Amino acid sequence: MSLLSRRALVVGASAAGAALALPPTAHAGERAAGTAAEAAFSAFRLVRARPGEPGRPEITLPEGYAFVSGEHYHVASRAEYYTFVTGPRSDDGVEVSVRWPGVAVRAVIHGENRLRLRHDRADRDRFTFTLPVNGATAGADEGTIQIWSHPDLSPGMYWKIDHNDPDRVAGPWLDVPWPGNEARSQTHQLVAAHRVLVESGLKATAAAKGHRWFVAGFETNNTLHADNPPHWHITYNSGADFAFPTHNTHLWLDAEARNFYNGMDVTGLGRLKHYVGDPARIHDFVGDAHEGRGELVATLTIREDGGLDIAPPQGPVYAIAAGRDGSLIDEVTVLRDERPWLRVTTEDHYRVGLTTIRTTGLRHPSESSARVLRYDPLTGALL
């Protein structure tokens, strides 16, 4: 699986999020993104050994390279600093020098790689590394600044889990309370949704058509994608990716992690707004049925308890419903024909790279299982 396909972008507008100014020692100056036809792009993240007051390092680029202009391309948080650069394409990479007095840097991340650091013996605060510069656009390297895991990238399915750390918040998330309940619940709901799509046959049906489901949560550190307020997605691409006609759901979560609104962006129709009890119908864009939207694929309906019904055309109806405490924060109950079927609980230990998934069979103990996803805590790549 290529890096580009593993880091496929979520559809959304870029965010002019809050960020710190460009480093003062950008010797190559600034260059507006995309102004030179021959320019390539790259990004890197400096991960601090210990979170602290957000700050910016001194960064020196080689001659001919510049920082991409725009504050949202240069972002500091308590845990890290990331920045985007542009210049002549170099697959072998160019040397970048960083000096950050008083701040220990744990790693430098580019894509899913930890770049090798070369420390300056004469200056304990300085190190260098070799950075590939080969992205067609700045946005093509968005995966560098994300920590995503992909438990299922198979025909009919693109499932990713977003690992959110309050020390990495950036952009619009700086001005709102930390969405702890929503961040926790989204993982339960993603796991439950994936299980439903597989068990119901919806994944297999999509794969047979060359289509796919896109199941993903929200992120809190990416200033290139305004992924707020907290929401998650059960999206249907009528093809291999977002370049094809799409029903792109945005299931908004309140502070108690209840779904309360589905803004579904449909190719050719714009945003269709659905609230509790409103059926959101997803079509395949194959044939002329339903005014050109094609045959019905599934219907999503937000439940009174804040959960979500997922109904294939031929049934049965599945549901992601509240757990035993009446909320979706600590666990979710999966229903089949309104009868309890599974209980799903998850825990994401994002600082060590460990997600635990516990599924309890409520009809048959044989359907119970436990799964552990181990991933690089700095990139999300599964180990």
Side-chain angles (χ1 to χ4, degrees):
M1 181 64 62
S2 70
L3 178 62
L4 178 59
S5 61
R6 284 180 58 81
R7 295 295 191 178
L9 303 183
V10 178
V11 169
S14 294
L20 296 191
L22 288 173
T25 54
H27 296 312
E30 292 184 26
R31 179 183 299 161
T35 56
E38 74 283 6
F41 298 83
S42 188
F44 61 88
R45 279 171 42 224
L46 305 176
V47 181
R48 299 166 61 144
R50 293 172 299 279
E53 186 67 24
R56 63 188 187 190
E58 303 168 9
I59 302 174
T60 302
L61 303 178
E63 187 66 29
Y65 292 83
F67 292 93
V68 177
S69 62
E71 288 186 342
H72 54 290
Y73 288 108
H74 315 280
V75 178
S77 66
R78 287 179 50 79
E80 62 191 18
Y81 179 86
Y82 64 72
T83 191
F84 287 72
V85 302
T86 184
R89 182 186 178 98
S90 175
D91 293 324
D92 293 334
V94 301
E95 183 170 285
V96 177
S97 173
V98 174
R99 188 173 190 274
W100 204 346
V103 175
V105 173
R106 174 183 177 189
V108 177
I109 303 299
H110 170 69
E112 292 186 344
N113 300 309
R114 300 184 183 216
L115 303 182
R116 188 172 74 85
L117 305 186
R118 301 182 294 276
H119 292 276
D120 188 334
R121 294 183 179 180
D123 184 348
R124 62 181 298 175
D125 293 321
R126 184 183 300 278
F127 60 87
T128 60
F129 57 91
T130 301
L131 177 71
V133 182
N134 50 21
T137 65
D141 213 7
E142 186 179 0
T144 291
I145 64 178
Q146 285 303 136
I147 300 180
W148 294 328
S149 295
H150 298 81
D152 187 356
L153 295 176
S154 62
M157 179 63 63
Y158 185 113
W159 174 26
K160 76 179 179 74
I161 294 177
D162 303 82
H163 305 289
N164 291 299
D165 181 344
D167 282 328
R168 298 182 66 236
V169 293
W173 299 95
L174 289 170
D175 300 320
V176 297
W178 169 246
N181 289 342
E182 300 95 312
R184 184 178 180 189
S185 177
Q186 70 167 343
T187 310
H188 311 328
Q189 298 196 59
L190 292 173
V191 170
H194 177 263
R195 181 67 180 266
V196 167
L197 293 173
V198 172
E199 295 289 336
S200 66
L202 287 171
K203 175 189 171 184
T205 300
K209 297 177 182 178
H211 298 177
R212 73 168 190 180
W213 292 94
F214 176 89
V215 180
F218 66 92
E219 60 213 33
T220 58
N221 64 293
N222 183 351
T223 54
L224 303 190
H225 180 217
D227 205 22
N228 66 303
H231 65 273
W232 63 292
H233 312 264
I234 304 180
T235 288
Y236 189 83
N237 299 132
S238 295
D241 52 38
F242 280 93
F244 292 84
T246 290
H247 288 68
N248 188 19
T249 64
H250 300 79
L251 294 158
W252 289 19
L253 300 168
D254 64 18
E256 297 301 317
R258 294 179 296 246
N259 300 287
F260 69 93
Y261 165 71
N262 174 10
M264 185 167 68
D265 295 333
V266 181
T267 300
L269 298 178
R271 171 153 293 192
L272 306 182
K273 300 179 180 181
H274 306 277
Y275 298 89
V276 174
D278 296 338
R281 296 179 177 87
I282 295 175
H283 298 262
D284 63 5
F285 281 110
V286 176
D288 298 325
H290 300 100
E291 299 181 342
R293 287 176 67 184
E295 295 301 323
L296 181 66
V297 171
T299 302
L300 309 182
T301 307
I302 298 174
R303 298 167 55 89
E304 291 288 343
D305 64 2
L308 184 73
D309 286 340
I310 304 172
Q314 307 305 321
V317 176
Y318 293 79
I320 301 169
R324 287 168 291 184
D325 66 354
S327 80
L328 293 90
I329 298 172
D330 294 328
E331 65 183 35
V332 298
T333 304
V334 185
L335 311 177
R336 189 163 55 194
D337 275 342
E338 285 298 320
R339 294 177 59 198
W341 173 40
L342 303 172
R343 180 179 301 122
V344 175
T345 61
T346 66
E347 283 191 77
D348 187 22
H349 305 278
Y350 47 82
R351 293 202 170 111
V352 297
L354 186 71
T355 301
T356 59
I357 301 170
R358 295 180 178 85
T359 302
T360 303
L362 301 179
R363 294 189 188 182
H364 303 289
S366 62
E367 294 183 304
S368 298
S369 63
R371 183 181 182 187
V372 176
L373 300 177
R374 300 182 187 275
Y375 60 91
D376 182 333
L378 302 187
T379 70
L382 292 174
L383 303 177

